[in-house]
């Protein structure tokens, strides 16, 4: 597919947004192994957690995922400015 004048500028902007998105996600993903190792160690110990502890862990997990979710929303918003709508 060959893109003409204006389309090349749009493509360059899309690529820039995707590179920024990748950088944010990669940074977040690299910060997770310590938390994942700790959770695996707890699970391997075979201890069962009461319901309130599971709720607290679920809330912590959602808080940890918040930057990733915000990055996804940001990417979607930036791409919409270029006429690319992600649903």
């Amino acid at each position: 597919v060959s893109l003409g004048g204006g389309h090349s500028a749009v493509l360059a902007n899309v690529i820039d947004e995707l590179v920024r998105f990748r950088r944010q996600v990669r940074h977040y993903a690299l910060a997770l192994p310590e938390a994942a190792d700790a959770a695996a160690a707890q699970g391997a110990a075979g201890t069962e957690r009461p319901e309130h502890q599971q709720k607290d862990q679920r809330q912590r997990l959602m808080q940890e995922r918040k930057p990733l979710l915000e990055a996804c929303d940001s990417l979607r918003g930036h791409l919409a400015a270029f006429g690319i709508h992600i649903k």
Side-chain angles (χ1 to χ4, degrees):
V1 175
S2 176
L3 297 175
H7 294 291
S8 294
V10 170
L11 182 58
N13 287 328
V14 169
I15 291 170
D16 288 344
E17 287 303 320
L18 291 173
V19 168
R20 277 191 282 277
F21 176 76
R22 180 191 176 278
R23 189 179 312 123
Q24 287 176 321
V25 171
R26 187 172 186 277
H27 179 265
Y28 177 73
L30 291 174
L32 287 181
E34 293 173 18
D37 290 346
Q42 274 185 334
T47 59
E48 291 189 42
R49 292 174 287 188
E51 187 175 318
H52 71 279
Q53 286 179 332
Q54 289 177 351
K55 183 179 178 182
D56 290 344
Q57 176 141 0
R58 194 169 32 251
Q59 287 175 339
R60 281 192 303 273
L61 182 61
M62 290 308 295
Q63 193 64 25
E64 290 173 2
R65 291 180 179 174
K66 188 175 180 177
L68 179 59
L69 297 172
E70 288 172 347
C72 291
D73 289 344
S74 178
L75 175 66
R76 187 171 58 181
H78 286 104
L79 292 177
F82 303 118
I84 300 169
H85 300 279
I86 300 174
K87 294 185 180 189

